[in-house]
Amino acid sequence: MFNFEIVAGGTVRTVLQNRRREVLDLVSRTYRIHEAGQTVNPDSYFLRFPEKPDSRIIALPAFLGPESGVAGIKWIASFPKNTESGAPRASAVLVLNDYATGYPIACLEAAAISSARTAASAAVAATALRPEGHQGKTIAVIGAGVIARNICDYLSAADCLPEAYLVHDLHEPSGQALAEHLRGTQDAPVSFTTDLAEALAADTVVFATTALKPYVTTPFKPGQLVLHISLRDLVPEVVLGAQNILDDIDHCLKADTSPHLAEQATGSRDFVTGTLAGVLNGDVTLDADRPVIFSPFGLGVLDLAVGAFVLEEARRDGTAIEIPDFFGETRRW
């Protein structure tokens, strides 16, 4: 009852690198469990700073349900200016709690968990929303940070294998770094482009930027699949011109995401086609004559599911670090 463990970032990365297919299955199952109403996923809570409007720290509490016995919270900071010194934009921890007692049982380095669950959700969507596969297609990646790298790795693990990759980033060294990573890990040709319009014309377009406001005004064409992972790239008119798949409708339509702005512009949610779990369950049918946009806000239940998986694997590998006497009092009297 009073055991407490730490799982360090190196261990988290090793577990996730070696078990991407298992994480894909886990994320897919968790979406379905959430859709069935078996989880609790409250709103995310944003800590903002008046003198740093681009920075924030976000709390994502969640509960995976009585069967799992796991509750917890991710505390993740996003400070984009970190990249100017070569440091990652995001840092995070995940605390897991025991449902029976409420006691914390573990703390895990969670930037890797967060990027893995985000990337896995993109790959699950890429598979479900383009069931015929990506052969003969071009995948463009707009934004070339850690999330983009992980998305590409998970697309490969999910057998989303395109004919070619195209990379675009305003910071060319980052874009070239992602292109080089893809050349070393993928069989498809890879090109870097400074032309946003060229990237937007690809068969599958992945957004993984740090954009705070929409800048994409070009409508997408029938047959295009858009994985809008960074959530604030598209103006409302672009959203309204497509079929829109979200991870959780109430969760996504807030915080001035592009879908939220579309709701504000129309006063309606009629533009929402359904959820990814609805697609996975066969409850949502898509129209081949219209483009499809997947916009996930990011669910804390995914962090919990992946974090609990990492903890069990670390215990099995003997790499979880137990902290003796972490709790100062273990008896009421």
Side-chain angles (χ1 to χ4, degrees):
M1 175 176 176
F2 298 110
N3 292 340
F4 188 80
E5 294 168 292
I6 299 289
V7 183
T11 296
V12 173
R13 288 193 64 187
T14 298
V15 169
L16 293 173
Q17 284 174 347
N18 294 336
R19 297 169 174 88
R20 288 194 182 102
R21 287 187 179 272
E22 292 163 90
V23 173
L24 285 165
D25 291 341
L26 178 60
V27 166
S28 181
R29 290 198 309 272
T30 304
Y31 272 132
R32 289 185 170 100
I33 292 169
H34 179 68
E35 183 87 350
Q38 298 174 21
T39 66
V40 180
N41 198 102
D43 287 347
S44 302
Y45 298 89
F46 288 72
L47 175 62
R48 300 187 183 276
F49 309 94
E51 296 179 357
K52 291 186 174 185
D54 63 336
S55 301
R56 58 198 184 274
I57 308 178
I58 312 169
L60 287 80
F63 174 47
L64 271 178
E67 186 174 334
S68 74
V70 178
I73 189 167
K74 181 176 73 172
W75 181 238
I76 182 166
S78 175
F79 280 55
K81 284 189 170 53
N82 287 355
T83 61
E84 296 176 5
S85 62
R89 171 189 60 85
S91 58
V93 294
L94 176 68
V95 176
L96 300 180
N97 295 72
D98 176 37
Y99 176 54
T101 66
Y103 270 82
I105 58 172
C107 179
L108 298 86
E109 193 280 327
I113 290 170
S114 186
S115 62
R117 66 84 152 146
T118 302
S121 70
V124 169
T127 302
L129 301 176
R130 196 183 285 286
E132 72 277 13
H134 292 257
Q135 297 87 349
K137 306 294 185 182
T138 297
I139 295 179
V141 184
I142 299 173
V146 173
I147 296 294
R149 183 186 70 214
N150 276 275
I151 290 172
C152 293
D153 291 342
Y154 270 89
L155 288 173
S156 178
D159 295 324
C160 297
L161 306 174
E163 183 176 69
Y165 270 101
L166 193 60
V167 177
H168 171 79
D169 196 289
L170 295 176
H171 184 246
E172 185 167 344
S174 296
Q176 294 287 5
L178 177 60
E180 192 60 31
H181 172 77
L182 287 168
R183 292 186 189 105
T185 58
Q186 312 287 336
D187 291 332
V190 183
S191 302
F192 173 80
T193 180
T194 58
D195 185 356
L196 176 61
E198 182 183 8
L200 292 175
D203 301 291
T204 298
V205 182
V206 180
F207 287 95
T209 74
T210 57
L212 297 177
K213 295 182 179 179
Y215 58 93
V216 174
T217 59
T218 304
F220 293 102
K221 297 178 181 178
Q224 281 189 284
L225 171 60
V226 179
L227 304 177
H228 186 210
I229 308 306
S230 41
L231 274 177
R232 295 178 180 87
D233 301 83
L234 313 178
V235 299
E237 292 76 12
V238 171
V239 174
L240 296 172
Q243 300 167 95
N244 290 277
I245 302 297
L246 312 182
D247 53 1
D248 179 293
I249 295 172
D250 289 333
H251 202 59
C252 192
L253 295 180
K254 58 173 63 73
D256 289 336
T257 63
S258 290
H260 186 209
L261 294 176
E263 180 190 32
Q264 293 176 51
T266 62
S268 168
R269 297 184 172 186
D270 291 345
F271 65 91
V272 177
T273 308
T275 64
L276 180 57
V279 176
L280 294 171
N281 290 334
D283 299 328
V284 175
T285 302
L286 297 173
D287 183 353
D289 294 330
R290 299 183 67 204
V292 179
I293 300 174
F294 173 56
S295 298
F297 192 76
L299 300 176
V301 290
L302 297 181
D303 295 290
L304 284 195
V306 175
F309 171 76
V310 169
L311 177 60
E312 288 305 313
E313 294 299 320
R315 286 171 172 169
R316 185 175 294 112
D317 296 343
T319 50
I321 303 167
E322 187 169 349
I323 308 298
D325 303 321
F326 181 81
F327 297 101
E329 293 190 56
T330 56
R331 293 186 64 85
R332 188 178 177 199
W333 292 106

